[in-house]
Amino acid sequence: MKNCKRFKILSVVGARPNFIKIAPFCSAIKSHKNIDHCLVHTGQHYDAQMSDSFFKDLEIPTPDFNLNVGSASHAVQTAKIMIEFEKVLKKAQPNVVVVVGDVNSTLACSLVASKMGFPVAHIEAGLRSFDRTMPEEINRILTDSISDILFTSCTDANRNLLKEGLPKNRIFFVGNIMIDSLRANQAKANKQRVLELLGLKKGGFCLVTLHRPSNVDNLNILIEIFSALEVIQRHLKVIFPVHPRTQININKLIKTGKIKKSDNLLLIKPLSYLSFFNILQRAKFVITDSGGIQEETTVLGIPCLTVRTNTERPITEEIGTNILVGSDKKALIKESLKVLTGKGKKGTIPKYWDGNTAKRIIKILIRLHTQNILFRYPKSQS
Ligand code: UDP
C-alpha cells in the first residue's frame, strides 16, 4: 500500500456463516503492512462444531476480543453484544468497523459503532427477502440503513438499497465474499475423507440442512418436511447434518413418535467447513433453507431445492441452480424426483462470484481511508 497512513480495521464475527465470510477478508489484509486488523468474536455461536472448527479449517486468526455472549433470546443476545462491544470500541478506536451478513451480531455491532460515530462498512448489504417475519430481514434492513459503506454481492442488492434511499456513492458492487472461501479451499476440501467415513458415493446422496425458525420451530412444518425426506430416502441416501437449533425439535418429535428414524436418512452433527464442502460438491442435490448454501450450490452447479417460499438471493433462482419449493411435502418429493430422473436445474455463475471479492473490498476501503472519506463523526459518547 503506497502513500497510505496507518489504517485500523475492526471486524466482527458471531455465527457460522460470518466465519466463512470473514476468512478471505482476514487473509487479504495480511499483505497490507499498513493495516492493523482487530477481530472481534461475539460468541453468538461458540462451540467446537459451530465455531472452533471454522477458525481451524479456514485459518482465521484468533480473535483479539471474545465477547462470549452465547445463546439467548434475540433481545437478550443483541443487548449483551451491544454492552460488551461498546467497551471494545472504546479501547480499540478503529478507523472503520466491518460487519458481515445478517445475524444479531451484525446489527448489534453496527448500531453501537454508528452511535459512537465510527464508520461502518457492511459486507453483503442490500439482500432482501421482503419477508419481515424473518429475524435476519430485520437485521439486514437496519444494518444497511445505518452503514456508511455498503458492499454488495449482486446488482439486485444495489437496486434494493437505492430504492430504500441509500446514496449511490456509498454502494459498491464487489461480488460474493463467501465464494472467495469456496475458491480458496477447493484443494483442501478435496482431501477430506468424509465420503468414505459416511459410506457415500459421489452423486449417490441428497444433502439436507435446515435451521430457519419458520421451518424448524414450527413442529407441524418440520413433520411435513420429514415425511418428504422419508419418501426421498427410499430413492437415495439422505445425509442431514443437523443444526443445534433443529436438533432440539427433532429430539422432541422422535421422543413422541411423530417422526421416525429411517435406514437411509442419516442424521449427523454439523460438519466442519472443509468436510461439508467435500460432500456438498459430491451430492446429487441439496435440500436446504440456508442462504449461503443457495449460493454455494449455484457456483458448484449442484441442484438446490430451497425449503422456503422466498429468497433474499433471487439471482440463485434467476440464473443459478436454485428452485424455491416451500415446505410442502408433495412439492419437495416432486422436485426431488425430477432431479433423480436427470431433470435437475442447470445454471450459470453470477458476476464477481470469482474468489476476488475480499481484495476488491480492501482496495476500496484503503482508497476511502486515504482520501479521508472514512472519518469518525464528532458524536457524543454519553
Ligand atoms: N455449513 C457447514 N457445515 C454444515 C452446514 C453448513 O460448514 O454442517 C456451511 C455452508 O457450507 C455455508 C454456511 O455453513 O457456507 C451456511 O451457514 P448457515 O446455513 O448456518 O447460515 P445462512 O447462510 O443461512 O445464513
Side-chain angles (χ1 to χ4, degrees):
M1 182 173 37
K2 278 180 197 159
N3 303 323
C4 184
K5 51 190 179 163
R6 277 210 89 68
F7 186 15
K8 184 162 188 180
I9 300 179
L10 182 149
S11 57
V12 178
V13 287
R16 176 166 74 183
N18 293 171
F19 307 137
I20 300 153
K21 290 163 199 167
I22 216 67
F25 187 75
C26 296
S27 154
I29 280 184
K30 272 195 222 145
S31 57
H32 295 279
K33 300 285 170 256
N34 283 341
I35 299 183
D36 295 324
H37 185 212
C38 172
L39 182 64
V40 178
H41 187 347
T42 65
Q44 189 179 331
H45 282 168
Y46 46 84
D47 64 12
Q49 278 145 3
M50 297 299 284
S51 174
D52 301 352
S53 76
F54 290 85
F55 278 78
K56 186 169 166 273
D57 274 11
L58 294 161
E59 297 177 29
I60 306 170
T62 307
D64 299 277
F65 296 92
N66 196 323
L67 311 185
N68 291 312
V69 297
S71 310
S73 69
H74 282 277
V76 171
Q77 191 174 62
T78 308
K80 274 189 179 172
I81 297 170
M82 289 178 72
I83 292 167
E84 294 308 314
F85 190 58
E86 186 182 49
K87 297 176 198 162
V88 169
L89 273 187
K90 275 185 186 155
K91 267 193 218 151
Q93 298 289 324
N95 298 106
V96 65
V97 173
V98 173
V99 294
V100 292
D102 56 14
V103 300
N104 288 344
S105 304
T106 315
L107 172 61
C109 294
S110 54
L111 191 50
V112 172
S114 160
K115 283 202 161 183
M116 287 173 78
F118 292 98
V120 176
H122 182 204
I123 301 180
E124 206 186 66
L127 298 185
R128 296 289 181 268
S129 64
F130 303 100
D131 174 3
R132 290 199 183 199
T133 64
M134 274 183 97
E136 296 89 346
E137 182 75 353
I138 307 297
N139 293 341
R140 291 180 198 121
I141 296 169
L142 296 182
T143 302
D144 288 340
S145 70
I146 52 175
S147 291
D148 300 271
I149 311 295
L150 299 146
F151 290 118
T152 63
S153 53
C154 47
T155 48
D156 56 87
N158 288 47
R159 282 197 293 278
N160 293 336
L161 293 169
L162 291 172
K163 267 192 216 152
E164 288 172 20
L166 289 150
K168 200 172 176 183
N169 63 358
R170 289 209 240 143
I171 305 168
F172 299 91
F173 169 42
V174 288
N176 193 328
I177 199 157
M178 206 164 200
I179 304 309
D180 284 17
S181 276
L182 210 64
R183 300 282 187 218
N185 288 287
Q186 179 84 62
K188 275 198 217 165
N190 289 348
K191 287 189 193 141
Q192 307 296 307
R193 301 188 55 80
V194 218
L195 231 54
E196 295 85 334
L197 287 173
L198 293 171
L200 304 172
K201 287 205 174 71
K202 185 172 185 259
F205 62 96
C206 160
L207 181 61
V208 178
T209 81
L210 296 169
H211 72 283
R212 297 255 100 79
S214 55
N215 283 328
V216 304
D217 290 355
N218 180 328
L219 296 188
N220 289 331
I221 291 188
L222 194 54
I223 292 170
E224 176 93 355
I225 299 170
F226 260 87
S227 62
L229 295 181
E230 199 282 318
V231 176
I232 296 164
Q233 62 90 39
R234 294 181 207 159
H235 299 268
L236 83 174
K237 276 200 170 168
V238 177
I239 309 302
F240 186 172
V242 184
H243 191 283
R245 172 186 202 104
T246 316
Q247 188 66 62
I248 297 169
N249 283 337
I250 289 182
N251 291 347
K252 274 189 210 160
L253 293 175
I254 290 180
K255 221 174 169 183
T256 52
K258 292 195 171 130
I259 57 175
K260 293 202 173 50
K261 289 187 178 168
S262 319
D263 291 347
N264 245 358
L265 167 59
L266 205 57
L267 301 179
I268 58 173
K269 296 231 155 86
L271 291 168
S272 74
Y273 181 75
L274 294 175
S275 300
F276 188 79
F277 182 6
N278 181 292
I279 61 169
L280 179 64
Q281 61 185 326
R282 290 168 171 79
K284 180 81 180 167
F285 66 103
V286 172
I287 294 178
T288 191
D289 59 12
S290 157
I293 296 170
Q294 292 173 59
E295 299 177 333
E296 290 166 344
T297 45
T298 273
V299 171
L300 297 169
I302 307 285
C304 177
L305 308 182
T306 296
V307 191
R308 288 175 53 188
T309 49
N310 56 50
T311 178
E312 61 291 330
R313 291 152 163 100
I315 196 162
T316 59
E317 216 205 354
E318 282 154 22
I319 67 165
T321 58
N322 192 15
I323 298 179
L324 297 183
V325 184
S327 55
D328 175 64
K329 176 183 170 182
K330 278 190 195 146
L332 265 169
I333 296 170
K334 187 175 148 213
E335 290 301 332
S336 300
L337 293 179
K338 263 197 203 166
V339 181
L340 289 175
T341 51
K343 295 181 197 130
K345 191 169 172 190
K346 300 201 169 53
T348 53
I349 299 176
K351 184 175 174 194
Y352 283 171
W353 293 26
D354 59 358
N356 294 314
T357 295
K359 283 187 199 143
R360 285 191 279 269
I361 291 174
I362 306 245
K363 205 169 156 194
I364 293 167
L365 285 176
I366 290 173
R367 177 166 59 76
L368 297 177
H369 176 66
T370 317
Q371 294 172 346
N372 279 325
I373 290 169
L374 285 178
F375 58 84
R376 185 160 176 206
Y377 301 99
K379 281 185 192 166
S380 138
Q381 293 299 294
S382 58

